[in-house]
Amino acid sequence: GKPDRAALREMLAHLEAGDLVAIFPEGTRTRDGSLGELRAGALLAARQAGCPIVPVGIRGAFEAWPRSSALPRPRRIAARLGRPVDP
């Protein structure tokens, strides 16, 4: 429930080095497949590094590996990339 400042510093260092960083801005896996509340860490790091955010929609991941399951199930998963957004 609290920000991980060390993780934010590490993410910022990678962004400033030109690396790609992928994070799930909700900070946890969904319990029911719905979108949860977004945390501010991704936006904060992107603003400080001056880099765009590329939103990615993922469909099928909850069905493939729900939080209540110990192992994933074979399912088709699709990802769709959005246009870069200036933070």
Side-chain angles (χ1 to χ4, degrees), residues 2-3 5 8 20-22 24 27 30 36-37 40 44 46 52 54 56 62-63 65 67 73-75 79 82 85:
K2 295 189 299 187
R5 296 193 190 285
L8 285 172
L20 297 176
V21 175
F24 294 89
T30 179
E37 183 178 337
L44 177 65
V54 179
V56 179
F62 179 75
E63 293 77 16
W65 201 349
R67 195 171 181 166
R73 305 171 188 153
R75 296 286 190 274
V85 177

Side-chain angles (χ1 to χ4, degrees), residues 5-78:
R5 296 193 190 285
L8 285 172
R9 282 192 297 271
E10 186 74 17
M11 184 173 24
L12 184 57
H14 279 282
L15 291 171
E16 289 174 341
D19 296 336
L20 297 176
V21 175
I23 67 165
F24 294 89
E26 295 169 273
T28 187
R29 292 170 61 193
T30 179
R31 294 192 183 279
D32 62 4
S34 65
L35 184 64
E37 183 178 337
L38 304 180
R39 307 282 181 143
L43 181 59
L44 177 65
R47 279 184 177 165
Q48 288 182 354
C51 68
I53 295 173
V54 179
V56 179
I58 302 172
R59 181 175 296 166
F62 179 75
E63 293 77 16
W65 201 349
R67 195 171 181 166
S68 60
S69 179
L71 296 172
R73 305 171 188 153
R75 296 286 190 274
R76 188 175 297 253
I77 297 175

